[in-house]
Amino acid sequence: MTQLTITAPDDWHLHFRDGDMLNETVPATARCFKRAIVMPNLLPPVRNKREALAYRERILAATPPGSDFQPLMVLYLTNETTPADIHEAISREIPAAKLYPAGATTNSDSAVSAIEALYPVFGAMSNAGMLLLIHGEVTAPEVDIFDREKLFIEQHLDPIHQRFPDLKIVFEHITTADAADYVVAANSNVAATITPQHLLLNRNDLLVGGIRPHNYCLPVLKRNSHQRRLQEVVASGSPKFFLGTDSAPHTKHTKETACGCAGCYSAWGALELYTQVFDDLDALDKLEGFASFYGADFYGLKRNQSNVTLTREAWTMPSEITLSNGDSIVPFYAGQTLNWRLA
Ligand code: NCD
Ligand code: ZN
């Protein structure tokens, strides 16, 4: 096959950031995706309807002229979030709220320290039909970083799901066989996003032959048996797994440093990288469901009407992207060859 046409895709998890950075990130995503779930981990975070709608306006202002790209906003749950915040915010523009355990990742200091204290909020979300998006890692300092996702399932995710079986939960950017197995076994209200890097790479790609800061993201890359299980579930065509790039830009100097930031900026090649994964798995017929159907279905939204076409054609990801203020970002897959190109 040299050409592939699929329904236009959506990105169900990414980070646009704010300010001038929006002029880079929003066009890069609108190039390819019709809708995106925009993560709320700004400083300060997006905590309520007013902040979410104001952020949405800033994103729309950075959308290229003529584009019909639609940002979908997410509330950031804190220890102070109330059921009233949920009832006020739930709408077409704000379909979800995100649970970050405190200290789990970039800008998560104001996040939730006692997850059980939020149960009244989860109850309100379940009643109102707001989705709960979860960064599923425990953060206790004694827990090994490679075990943090697995332990989160037993300590928090399963208790939340058992208590609120009707609450729609997206287990975000899963990285382990444990997470994939949990999602497969749970009821139809539990789904997961999977990033391109967790399908393409394993922890050797982070650590063998020298440390590679541009492959460092959270949850951290796991061993190859976990990577293979993620590949298996996407190739199975299960509707519980859908596209969420977790595209998360950081400037070059904040990644190439003694204590580097977590996040891979994949927007420039997102759909192309996923296409490569499905091609390598001999499962190109499953790409459209993963990229364009299952996320919309899970969120209860219409599937997109238009199409995109990919061509089998080699191209090289730029080694750096220069921002208007002179800073630069090293994109995910920098300098490497991709085999598919978006027309
Ligand atoms: C994300 C970021 O930089 O905001 N980083 C990452 O490694 N994925 C935060 C997140 O999604 O955990
Ligand atoms: Zn993320």
Side-chain angles (χ1 to χ4, degrees):
M1 195 187 295
T2 58
Q3 246 197 15
L4 179 63
T5 296
I6 61 169
T7 301
D10 304 301
D11 186 346
W12 300 100
H13 180 136
L14 59 62
H15 302 264
F16 276 149
R17 312 304 187 202
D18 207 349
D20 287 347
M21 185 74 107
L22 294 176
N23 296 319
E24 159 56 35
T25 54
V26 178
T29 286
R31 162 190 87 90
C32 164
F33 295 106
K34 286 279 174 205
R35 293 171 288 201
I37 281 282
V38 183
M39 288 295 140
N41 61 332
L42 306 180
L43 282 175
V46 178
R47 288 157 298 194
N48 52 48
K49 177 182 182 178
R50 184 178 51 80
E51 291 172 349
L53 293 183
Y55 184 30
R56 181 170 180 273
E57 288 308 314
R58 299 196 293 280
I59 293 166
L60 288 173
T63 302
S67 161
D68 58 354
F69 174 75
Q70 274 184 48
L72 300 168
M73 310 313 292
V74 177
L75 293 191
Y76 185 114
L77 298 174
T78 73
N79 295 316
E80 275 76 53
T81 308
T82 62
D85 294 323
I86 301 301
H87 291 301
E88 183 198 37
I90 175 82
S91 55
R92 213 158 34 91
E93 291 80 17
I94 313 172
K98 177 83 185 272
L99 173 66
Y100 288 100
T105 188
T106 310
N107 301 342
S108 61
D109 296 346
S110 42
V112 176
S113 44
I115 292 177
E116 288 67 30
L118 272 186
Y119 272 34
V121 171
F122 299 156
M125 292 175 66
S126 181
N127 292 334
M130 187 183 257
L131 279 79
L132 176 63
L133 316 183
I134 300 185
H135 183 114
E137 288 192 287
V138 297
T139 54
E142 66 274 16
V143 179
D144 189 276
I145 191 166
F146 292 102
D147 297 334
R148 290 180 168 205
E149 184 172 281
K150 177 182 161 66
L151 287 185
F152 186 89
I153 299 170
E154 18 187 294
Q155 291 182 13
H156 300 292
L157 178 58
D158 193 52
I160 296 170
H161 178 50
Q162 296 304 328
R163 175 78 169 272
F164 303 103
D166 298 330
L167 174 63
K168 282 195 168 179
I169 297 176
V170 184
F171 195 175
E172 297 291 342
H173 44 50
I174 62 166
T175 64
T176 57
D178 310 273
D181 293 343
Y182 182 79
V183 171
V184 167
N187 80 19
S188 60
N189 291 320
V190 179
T193 52
I194 307 187
T195 74
Q197 63 268 24
H198 292 102
L199 290 165
L200 285 161
L201 308 179
N202 60 65
R203 64 195 193 180
N204 282 6
D205 299 293
L206 180 64
L207 296 169
V208 172
I211 190 155
R212 288 160 209 276
H214 301 292
N215 290 344
Y216 174 58
C217 66
L218 288 171
V220 73
L221 294 169
K222 303 298 191 297
R223 61 168 67 240
N224 61 3
S225 53
H226 293 293
Q227 178 195 8
R228 279 199 298 270
R229 180 69 183 131
L230 299 180
Q231 293 172 344
E232 205 174 275
V233 293
V234 300
S236 77
S238 163
K240 293 186 139 203
F241 300 92
F242 47 84
L243 188 157
T245 61
D246 198 17
S247 182
H250 292 274
T251 55
K252 180 175 169 168
H253 68 272
T254 60
K255 288 201 60 87
E256 297 181 5
T257 181
C259 183
C261 291
C264 301
Y265 184 48
S266 59
W268 279 45
L271 184 62
E272 296 86 337
L273 290 164
Y274 283 113
T275 307
Q276 193 154 315
V277 168
F278 280 79
D279 193 9
D280 291 345
L281 295 170
D282 210 6
L284 277 177
D285 61 319
K286 303 294 195 315
L287 176 69
E288 185 176 40
F290 177 82
S292 314
F293 295 164
Y294 306 149
D297 297 349
F298 191 78
Y299 273 77
L301 299 172
K302 280 208 185 111
R303 294 176 179 181
N304 294 320
Q305 299 293 307
S306 57
N307 292 331
V308 297
T309 296
L310 292 134
T311 313
R312 194 189 291 279
E313 183 189 327
W315 61 287
T316 305
M317 183 63 69
S319 54
E320 251 175 70
I321 298 161
T322 306
L323 302 173
S324 57
N325 67 0
D327 271 344
S328 62
I329 300 177
V330 177
F332 181 64
Y333 235 62
Q336 296 184 71
T337 303
L338 292 90
N339 305 328
W340 289 89
R341 184 161 214 159
L342 189 64

